[in-house]
Amino acid sequence: MGASEIRVDAWQVSAFEQARSSGTLIVSPEYQRRPVWASKDQMLLIDSIARGVPIGAITLYADSSQGYDVYEVIDGKQRLTSLLNFVGDKLTIKTSYIEKAGLDDDEFDVANDEVTVNYHDRLYSDLEIQYKMRLGQYQIPIFLVRGDRSAAIRSFARMNRSTYSLKPQEIRNAFFTGTAFLQTVIDCINDLDVAAFGESGTSASSLLVKMGGISAGSWDRMQDLQLISELLVLVLHDVQHRRDSLDEFYGLYRDPKGDAAKKLADATKRLRAILLQIWQLAQETSLQAYHFPSSCEHDLYGLVGALHMRGPLSKPQMDRLGKELIDVVSAFRSETEKYVDKVRKGETPSPGEFEPLVEQYGRGFLGGQTNSKARRQERIDVWVEVINGMVSTLDDKSAFTETQRRLIWAHSADKICARCGEVVEWDGFHAGHRLAWSLGGRTVVENGQVEHAVCNVSAGATGV
């Protein structure tokens, strides 16, 4: 039985077109299926490429039997045919089809954005030169197979029978192996595990798995590397839209020198500190214990972004606020789940049922593209407000935050005023101090109690 050798590479669109023009690219070898993509699917692919969205790897077999390489498409024929149809003036993009595809309204104004204006309803030959160049320079990852041809065809048949497909990070790892950015990501994960547990982790003992950011199954598919890559880019260069630009940053920091190398090292150090602080705030247990969902990478992205934006908590703040903050975070996340669940059931929350920040945060999980740039930024902004609100209670502030206030209300089983002994309705509720703030009582949930607003005013600073 023959053997085949597989290498990971990347080709620009222009390289595929050049190979086709020279006769060294066979898009439809005899073992490939016939074209099945409708025009609208082809249009969506070209629109995605113009926007820089990854389209997955293409597998080629290199036949060198004639003394030079002739490339047969083993997998990816539909995508490559669509692309070459556009470059060959056999296809134009219709805006109406793209609008029906449901692109995220938060990110794309399909009727007026740059891609629509410069690529839609035009033949490739009519595009302005800079937009031809942008399309031509778009890179597509490829698996290049050499060796025994029959083994390559058997591999293709196996690929099409199997439900297993490579994740983007698995392709990324192969393509960028040995580069500085990938090694930095790997080292960051190992350093986190060593700092938390004294040794490098496995799928059962990785900090990201223990924290609840990813599942053990996702760890096996290298999703820990992808999550850390996204978080590192967040610290390096701000919020990104989905994962579309990850390959770009892997290339940008392939072999950084001077200031770029220092910037990468500083960002990695800051990311490690932030993740370890979140682990400490969570009392070294899973975030799921605090009402986060089973896979909470979206929340973790928001928390990391918030602590990066406002700065990690100082040691005195952690010492005084750690337990109180995670209790408030837990209550906030619990209320968010209730809000999202209610809306998904088609129910309308009553006025004042949820605090505005909860509704704002919850809306980011309704509809599509929860990891769009706009929604990621909104989650970060909400967490900054929640954290800053709690930190402000350390700075001689007597008023409870709205989240603390609702937590105090939730902790009261009978809703009895601690001052007059009568039942308190929500509209007349005031979060008061057990030991008055003016007498040294702290503005923390443990020192809070349910009171009538009028009772609180009349009590003054007695603390009783």
Side-chain angles (χ1 to χ4, degrees), residues 56-186:
I58 287 175
T59 304
L60 303 176
Y61 171 68
D63 179 5
S64 57
S65 60
Q66 302 180 56
Y68 57 89
D69 286 337
V70 175
Y71 301 100
E72 299 178 6
V73 178
I74 295 179
D75 189 47
K77 172 185 175 179
Q78 310 297 327
R79 285 166 287 156
L80 196 52
T81 298
S82 303
L83 182 56
L84 294 176
N85 280 345
F86 182 72
V87 173
D89 282 350
K90 297 178 181 178
L91 174 72
T92 57
I93 309 171
K94 301 296 183 185
T95 302
S96 58
Y97 285 148
I98 305 303
E99 288 175 331
K100 291 176 183 177
L103 290 175
D104 191 345
D105 291 338
D106 292 338
E107 295 304 310
F108 304 121
D109 178 7
V110 176
N112 298 297
D113 73 0
E114 182 193 23
V115 169
T116 302
V117 171
N118 295 296
Y119 287 94
H120 289 197
D121 299 308
R122 296 184 180 205
L123 293 173
Y124 174 80
S125 59
D126 293 332
L127 297 181
E128 295 180 28
I129 184 63
Q130 65 264 38
Y131 300 109
K132 286 183 179 178
M133 292 293 292
R134 179 192 295 183
L135 194 71
Q137 291 172 356
Y138 177 92
Q139 286 198 327
I140 301 174
I142 65 167
F143 293 111
L144 188 59
V145 183
R146 293 184 180 276
D148 184 75
R149 187 173 182 275
S150 61
I153 296 173
R154 283 195 298 271
S155 296
F156 168 70
R158 188 179 302 115
M159 288 167 61
N160 278 269
R161 285 197 305 267
S162 173
T163 58
Y164 184 92
S165 60
L166 289 175
K167 295 284 189 181
Q169 187 61 41
E170 292 172 314
I171 297 173
R172 205 173 283 123
N173 275 30
F175 184 65
F176 291 101
T177 184
T179 62
F181 192 89
L182 178 58
Q183 191 58 51
T184 297
V185 169
I186 293 170

Side-chain angles (χ1 to χ4, degrees), residues 335-397:
E335 287 295 294
T336 299
E337 283 301 295
K338 292 175 185 176
Y339 170 79
V340 170
D341 183 61
K342 192 161 196 171
V343 174
R344 283 176 175 164
K345 289 179 179 177
E347 301 174 9
T348 302
S350 57
E353 182 177 357
F354 299 99
E355 65 172 298
L357 272 184
V358 166
E359 294 189 358
Q360 180 183 351
Y361 195 76
R363 284 192 295 270
F365 294 96
L366 298 169
Q369 294 211 19
T370 53
N371 60 352
S372 69
K373 183 175 182 178
R375 291 188 168 183
R376 282 177 159 180
Q377 185 62 61
E378 188 167 40
R379 279 193 285 274
I380 290 171
D381 293 341
V382 169
W383 282 124
V384 167
E385 193 163 342
V386 170
I387 294 170
N388 283 347
M390 291 302 302
V391 170
S392 70
T393 65
L394 299 178
D395 302 325
D396 296 326
K397 182 178 178 182

Side-chain angles (χ1 to χ4, degrees), residues 181-203:
F181 192 89
L182 178 58
Q183 191 58 51
T184 297
V185 169
I186 293 170
D187 291 343
C188 181
I189 291 171
N190 289 335
D191 290 346
L192 285 167
D193 292 341
V194 169
F197 311 117
E199 60 182 1
S200 296
T202 63
S203 61

Side-chain angles (χ1 to χ4, degrees), residues 185 189 192 208 224-232 271 275:
V185 169
I189 291 171
L192 285 167
L208 291 178
D224 57 331
L225 298 179
Q226 180 164 282
L227 179 55
I228 290 296
S229 298
E230 289 187 83
L231 296 176
L232 188 53
L271 176 59
L275 285 170

